[in-house]
C-alpha cells in the first residue's frame, strides 16, 4: 500500500492543517507550520522521498497504517499511531512510500521504534468543547495512574523505580530543580516537600537562568529536570550544564523517549497521559504527586522520615484523586463566580508555603488563556508593594487550607478587604468567622490541600477565558512544547 507522509505542527486541532493556506487559520497564525508547506510542495513536484534531519529541536516519526507522520511532539499525530521513532541529533530519516530509512554519519542504522502506551481515547476531546476542560476533568484518573503501585501504605515506603543508591542520597547536600512555567511551580511545591520530608536543601531554578555555579560540589548535588514534554529547550540546556559540571541528573517527565530522558542518568514518569491543551493542567497535579513520592523515597533512604510520618503523607496522597473529584463536582458554582468576575481589571492570587506555588500557578493559568492581567504573590509580600495595585475591581483569590499557613494568610486577606477587593477563598476546616465574598470548600486531606485548591483555580481560569471566547487550547503566541531558547 502506498503510504502518505504528513507533517503536523505540535498541537492537535480539527482545522489544523491546510497546505494551500499556511498560517491562514487565525488560531495558528503564530505557528504557520512551515514544514507543512515543504511537504505539500514536495508532493506537488512529484518528489516521493522526504528527508528529515534532527538538530537541537525534537523530531519524532510516527509509523501509522495509513501513512508516516513527522512532528516535534507525539501528541501531534497520536490519533493516527502510537508506534514512534525519536530521532537523535544528527540523524537523517528518509521517508518514502516504502517506509523509513535512518542514517547516522552517512551510514544506515536500524530504525528503532517504541510503542506508546497512551490509551486510544486519550488524544480525543471525548465530548468536551476543549481539551483543557477534558484534561482538568481527567485529573482524578491521571493521579491514580501516577500513584498506582508506587507505594506501600503499611510500611510507609515508596518505589519509583529510580537508580539512586542509598549511599549517594545520604551524601547529597542539595537538590536543584530546573524547570520552566508550570513545571517550575510544580518544582516549587516539591522543594518544600523535599526540605520538609527529606531534610535536604532544595533550590528551584528557572531553567533559562540556570548556571551550575555558586561553588556547588557536583558530587553532592542532584539536579532534577521537571518537564512535561521532555523537550523544553531551556530545560534541556540547563540539564546539559549540570551534566557538563559532573552532577547526577534525574528527569521527572510525562513523555517516554523524549530528549531529556535520553540525556539524564535516570527518569521518573508522571503517567498523566497525553496533554494536548497548551495550558498544563493534569500534568501539574501529576508532577507534584510524583515529586511527593520521590520526596518520601529520598526521605526514607536518608533516614530523615519516620515510617509514621511517611504513612501520613502517603495517606494524604491517596486521598488526592477523590478530593479533586469533589472539587470537579462543584464546577457549576465556579462557573457562576467566573462569569460574575470575568470583566475585572486584574486578578491576584495569594498563598503561603505550598499555597504560594499554587498562587503562582493559578495566575499563570488565568493570564495564559484569558489574556487578563493576573499575578501570584507570596501572601506576606503584598504589603511590600503589590498592595498598591489592589482595588475594588481586582478580585483576590486566596489559598486558605492546610499546608498554606491559613491563619497568617487571613491577615493578608483582611489587608485587601480593607481596600475593598472582593476575596474568593479556597478553604478547608474552620477559619473562624467567615467574611469572604466567596468560599470554596477544599476537602480535608492535609498537606496536599493546596494542590486540590489548584483545581478550583483551573476551573476559574477556564470559565473566565471561555466567557471571553478565547482560543483556550491554543492561546495566542504560545506553543505546547517550547523548543527554542
Ligand atoms: O514541557 P514543559 O513542562 O517543560 O513545559 C514548560 C512550560 O513551557 C509549560 O509548563 C508552560 O508554562 C505551560 N504552557 C503553562 O500552562
Amino acid at each position: 500500500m502506498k503510504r502518505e507522509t504528513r507533517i503536523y505542527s505540535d498541537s492537535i486541532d480539527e482545522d489544523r492543517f491546510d497546505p494551500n493556506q499556511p498560517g491562514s487559520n487565525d488560531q495558528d497564525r503564530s505557528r504557520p507550520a512551515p514544514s507543512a508547506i515543504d511537504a505539500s510542495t514536495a508532493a506537488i513536484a512529484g518528489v516521493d522521498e522526504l528527508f528529515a534531519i534532527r538538530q537541537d529541536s525534537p523530531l519524532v516519526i510516527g509509523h501509522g497504517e495509513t501513512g508516516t507522520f513527522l512532528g516535534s511532539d507525539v501528541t501531534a499525530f497520536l490519533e493516527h499511531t502510537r508506534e514512534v521513532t525519536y530521532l537523535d541529533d544528527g540523524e537523517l530519516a528518509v521517508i518514502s512510500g516504502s517506509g523509513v530509512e535512518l542514517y547516522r554519519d552517512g551510514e544506515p542504522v536500524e530504525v528503532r521504534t517504541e510503542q506508546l502506551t497512551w490509551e486510544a481515547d486519550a488524544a480525543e476531546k471525548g465530548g468536551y468543547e476543549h481539551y483543557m476542560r477534558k484534561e482538568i476533568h481527567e485529573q482524578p484518573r491521571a493521579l491514580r495512574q501516577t500513584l498506582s503501585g508506587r507505594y506501600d501504605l503499611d510500611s510507609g515506603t515508596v518505589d519509583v523505580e529510580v537508580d539512586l543508591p542509598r549511599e549517594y542520597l545520604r551524601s547529597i547536600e542539595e537538590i536543584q530543580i530546573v524547570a520552566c512555567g508550570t513545571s517550575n511551580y510544580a518544582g516549587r511545591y516539591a522543594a518544600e516537600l523535599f526540605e520538609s520530608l527529606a531534610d535536604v536543601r532544595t533550590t528551584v531554578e528557572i531553567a533559562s537562568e540556570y548556571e551550575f555555579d555558586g561553588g556547588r560540589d557536583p558530587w553532592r548535588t542532584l539536579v532534577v529536570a521537571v518537564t512535561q514534554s521532555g523537550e523544553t529547550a531551556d530545560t534541556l540546556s540547563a540539564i546539559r550544564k549540570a551534566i557538563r559540571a559532573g552532577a547526577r541528573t534525574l528527569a521527572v517527565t510525562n513523555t517516554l523517549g523524549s530528549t531529556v530522558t535520553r540525556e539524564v542518568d535516570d527518569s521518573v514518569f508522571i503517567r498523566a497521559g497525553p496533554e494536548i491543551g497548551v495550558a498544563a493542567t493534569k500534568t501539574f497535579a501529576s508532577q507534584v504527586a510524583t515529586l511527593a513520592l520521590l520526596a518520601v523515597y529520598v526521605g526514607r533512604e536518608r533516614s530523615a522520615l519516620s515510617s509514621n510520618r511517611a504513612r501520613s503523607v502517603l495517606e494524604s496522597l491517596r486521598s488526592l484523586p477523590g478530593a479533586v473529584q469533589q472539587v470537579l463536582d462543584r464546577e457549576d458554582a465556579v462557573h457562576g463566580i467566573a462569569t460574575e468576575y470575568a470583566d475585572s481589571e486584574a486578578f491576584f492570587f495569594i498563598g503561603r508555603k505550598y499555597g504560594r506555588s499554587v498562587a503562582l500557578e493559578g495566575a499563570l493559568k488565568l493570564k495564559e488563556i484569558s489574556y487578563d492581567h493576573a499575578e501570584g504573590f507570596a501572601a506576606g509580600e503584598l504589603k511590600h508593594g503589590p498592595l498598591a495595585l489592589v482595588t475594588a475591581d481586582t478580585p483576590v483569590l486566596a489559598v486558605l487550607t492546610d499546608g498554606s499557613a491559613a491563619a497568617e494568610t487571613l491577615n493578608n486577606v483582611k489587608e485587601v478587604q480593607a481596600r475593598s477587593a472582593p476575596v474568593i477563598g479556597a478553604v478547608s476546616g474552620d477559619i473562624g468567622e467567615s467574611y469572604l465574598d466567596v468560599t470554596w470548600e477544599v476537602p480535608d486531606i492535609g498537606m496536599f490541600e493546596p494542590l486540590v485548591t489548584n483545581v478550583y483555580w483551573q476551573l476559574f481560569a477556564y470559565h473566565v477565558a471561555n466567557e471571553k471566547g478565547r482560543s483556550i487550547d491554543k492561546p495566542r503566541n504560545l506553543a505546547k512544547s517550547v523548543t527554542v531558547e
Side-chain angles (χ1 to χ4, degrees), residues 179-184 226-232 235 275 277-281 283 287 361 364-365 368 478-482:
C180 306
T182 290
S183 296
N184 186 279
V226 182
T227 166
Q228 181 283 130
S229 61
E231 303 291 356
T232 301
T235 307
E275 188 175 70
V278 164
T281 52
T283 54
Q287 282 171 336
E361 169 58 10
L364 174 61
K365 214 70 345 170
E368 180 180 22
L478 300 177
K480 184 66 180 164
S481 296
V482 185

Side-chain angles (χ1 to χ4, degrees), residues 312-385:
S312 102
V313 176
L314 294 172
E315 264 166 19
S316 181
L317 269 179
R318 187 175 61 164
S319 310
L320 252 178
V324 167
Q325 187 58 56
Q326 288 182 48
V327 171
L328 293 171
D329 292 343
R330 295 172 195 151
E331 182 174 7
D332 284 350
V334 182
H335 185 175
I337 299 298
T339 308
E340 187 178 335
Y341 288 104
D343 291 326
S344 302
E345 187 185 312
F347 300 84
F348 301 123
F349 292 73
I350 59 170
R352 289 169 184 253
K353 290 180 65 66
Y354 304 117
R356 180 190 167 208
S357 317
V358 165
L360 295 170
E361 169 58 10
L364 174 61
K365 214 70 345 170
L366 183 56
K367 76 178 79 160
E368 180 180 22
I369 60 165
S370 75
Y371 317 154
D372 282 317
H373 179 210
E375 295 297 332
F377 300 111
E381 277 293 289
L382 275 183
K383 57 187 174 295
H384 298 290

Side-chain angles (χ1 to χ4, degrees), residues 123-192:
E124 290 159 15
K125 281 192 193 153
Y128 288 92
E129 193 186 342
H130 296 104
Y131 283 108
M132 181 184 177
R133 182 153 171 257
K134 175 181 180 242
E135 287 156 4
I136 290 172
H137 279 266
E138 281 174 347
Q139 286 176 110
R141 185 165 147 213
L143 283 164
R144 283 191 190 97
Q145 284 169 188
T146 300
L147 299 171
S148 170
R150 285 177 156 174
Y151 65 89
D152 180 65
L153 204 52
D154 291 338
S155 59
T157 53
V158 161
D159 183 3
V160 278
E161 292 162 6
V162 277
D163 179 24
L164 291 171
R166 177 173 296 171
E167 304 67 47
Y168 168 74
L169 288 176
R170 289 187 172 183
S171 74
I172 57 173
E173 289 169 350
E174 183 180 351
I175 294 177
Q176 275 193 310
I177 296 176
V178 293
C180 306
T182 290
S183 296
N184 186 279
Y185 299 148
R188 287 175 192 225
Y189 203 121
E192 304 260 2

Side-chain angles (χ1 to χ4, degrees), residues 57 65 161 193 201 237 273 323 325 342 373 390 405 408 437 467:
S57 290
E65 291 204 345
E161 292 162 6
L193 291 167
R201 182 173 69 234
S237 165
Q325 187 58 56
H373 179 210
V390 171
E408 287 87 344
D437 296 271
E467 197 63 31

